[in-house]
Amino acid sequence: MSSPIAYLPGSMPGAPGPLARFLPPLPEGVARSWLSENVPPGAWILDPFGASPRLAAEIAQSGYRLLVTANNPIERFLLELAAAPPAREELRAALADLAASSRAGERIEHHIRGLYRTECDQCGQMVEAEAFIWDRNASDRSLRIYTCPYCKDSGEHPITPADQENLAQYANNKLQRARALERVAPLEDPDRVHVEEALEVYPDRAVYALLTLVNKLDNLPPARQRLVEALLLAAFDQANTLWSHPTTRARPKQLTDPTRFREKNIWLAVEEAVEQWSALREGSEDVPLTYWPNPPPASGGICLYQGRLKELVEQVHQAPSKDFEISAVVAALPRPNQAYWTLSALWSGWLWGNEAVVPFKSALRRRRYDWAWHTTALQAAYRHLIEMLNPGTPFFGLIGEAEGSYLAAALLAAETTSFDLVGVAIRPEKGRAQLQWKLGVRNAQSKGTPLPVAPHHIQEVAQHAVRDHLLKCREPADVLHLQSAALSAMVRELHLVTTPSFSPADLFSQIQEAIQSALANRGLFTRYGGSERNPESGLWWLRDDREVMDVSLSDQIEMAIVRYLQQHPGCTLEEIDAFLCPQFPGLFTPDLDLIQACLRSYGEVLQPGSSQWNLRPQDSPKTRRHDLAEMRHLLNKIGRELGYEVVISGQEKPPNQPAPPQYILWCEASRVHYVFYALASAVMSKIIFAPKDAGYKRPQRLPDEPPRQILVVPGGRAGLIGFKLAANPRLRAEVDDHWRLVKFRHLRRLAENASPGRGNFDAQLASDPLANNDPQMVLL
């Protein structure tokens, strides 16, 4: 049975490194934390996908022997570099060797730089452009970017006719483009047409420059050649047209040309690659790397299998070893990326020739990948995977770009291949998900009844799971949370299977349709924001929310943070996050932005630049108790001055229940005119959504003249309350329609000045809005 697992926060790497836009954006330290709690050091870990070089290095550095499969030649190369990142001095020496090579008697560096010469607008000198910005629809909007070393003019400038003429000469030079094709697919290769299509994302000048440099590889010593290959690989990615301007698609998935794109100076891209690669070495340690079947040392290392998982399984069965037993599977779960896989085939051919492309050529043929296809592909991989594992083996999967379809593909493929779900944890604002399974004792054929589940039953399970999640978090939720809740419930409660006549793609489509139908049930759920064209947007809530009157998830997280600050002075954000995640596990993982908003409201850093936090002195429990007593006193004073009867709660409460929030009523002739709640926190949900009869006595409200409801809060809560109102449309609507928020300082000013009189009191309450944090004079 699945259950909540605590999200492991980790930390994002400081330097993203080359090709980062195609690699899973995973935090560091997560695998290390999970392994330390579940697997003894020295054990064998399996990564069947090899999608994250950083993850592989982290596992090996943590003292484990990692067997990783990589069929993509580029990913194999990245894994090798991650095991032993090159030093800056080595890269600079290799770049110097490349720069010194010649073409037709000219130094190659000067030749490549000369391709990007342009005339300075200010002084007329010829300068080197850093990049060109080309607009396919309007040439007059095309630009060049340069910094003139003579007159210091810098920035973006319109292109000139000379720039256009210079570019045209490379369109007429077919030799290097033919070489670019030949290195990937020879003339008679049936896949050559796909290579030609892929090559369209490279400008003619870039192809000329890149292939000119590639042709120099064979002239370099082997040690230098490997380093120059790394530099060129980074430049390959910088050189294509997938870099829109301004950047709007930082992580491309399709080979789709933007209307406006950046053409990078290739030599500058090679120079920048020196820093990109060398930054990966800072603070890291080299790890031993071997190639299957040679094992790494028991102290930790990477064993790389250069091929498909299916082929590895066959080899393991042909030559079993008593010393080889997989203790856990840890992997970044792959996602379909036609752009990366197709470009990987191109880059492999350019660096190592068309023979290197052969195992990966299928990537050239498929133009689009959908999630139904991906479910089928994952299931096939998992079927091979279980042949290497013993029952009970844990599987920890990481997702760096979480979305509902991604999670559905991963969960359904695992469920239909005998992996039992342990739990799911997500942090959607960062696009991350963590999933844990263990291999069940049943095989895929015997798991459940070999018949598809009725669609109406699937929808009922989804609806119940969504409603249950909303009741637990007590505030609207986004579609990723709700899809995750529904998918987890389906895996837990239903026997989901595939058959020869009901494929994984069919199952994926059925499940997605059931979830969408459940969310579209307007008798059960209402939607805030979003649009029908984008089903992933907006927030969902219960149509009938009369049962929801307790403290919301955001308010619970706020209270936990305040308690932690009180008990752990000098704590860091990372320590607070690590404390909160087990307290709010699974789909209730705290939003990191909410944690930071709470820290800004309640905390202060020890000193400028410090990462340590203390509770602000004004938020100490003693100080806030004094403030609340003062607010009650002032409300009593002002109310009586305005001629109201003042009723202060605090003595009455239902038997065996916590005391309700204290309130102050301003009444006249048994009618309530104002209801005040003085709060030291931003924990408002239980008050805002309290039922009319909260279990204690109140003077009767008249339906035709409801009282004005006012929350009195410290000014330091303004930012946090604003964050909660922006994140929770249900709360915002209720506050906008029925409540007013007043700061402590404003109430003090009202009490210090002459009474404004009843007719002017509402206007005076509104004269210092919550969003205004600057003291202002109040005109009375």
Side-chain angles (χ1 to χ4, degrees), residues 273-297:
V274 171
E275 297 306 314
Q276 292 176 346
W277 284 116
S278 58
L280 300 182
R281 187 167 186 82
E282 296 176 4
S284 68
E285 299 178 359
D286 290 357
V287 297
L289 184 140
T290 63
Y291 298 88
W292 178 265
N294 300 314

Side-chain angles (χ1 to χ4, degrees), residues 124-141:
Q125 293 283 350
M126 296 303 293
V127 299
E128 181 183 3
E130 301 166 23
F132 290 89
I133 308 301
W134 300 106
D135 193 304
R136 300 182 189 278
N137 296 336
S139 59
D140 58 339
R141 295 183 63 228

Side-chain angles (χ1 to χ4, degrees), residues 44-56:
W44 276 100
I45 309 299
L46 174 62
D47 179 351
F49 304 116
S52 174
R54 284 180 181 268
L55 178 64

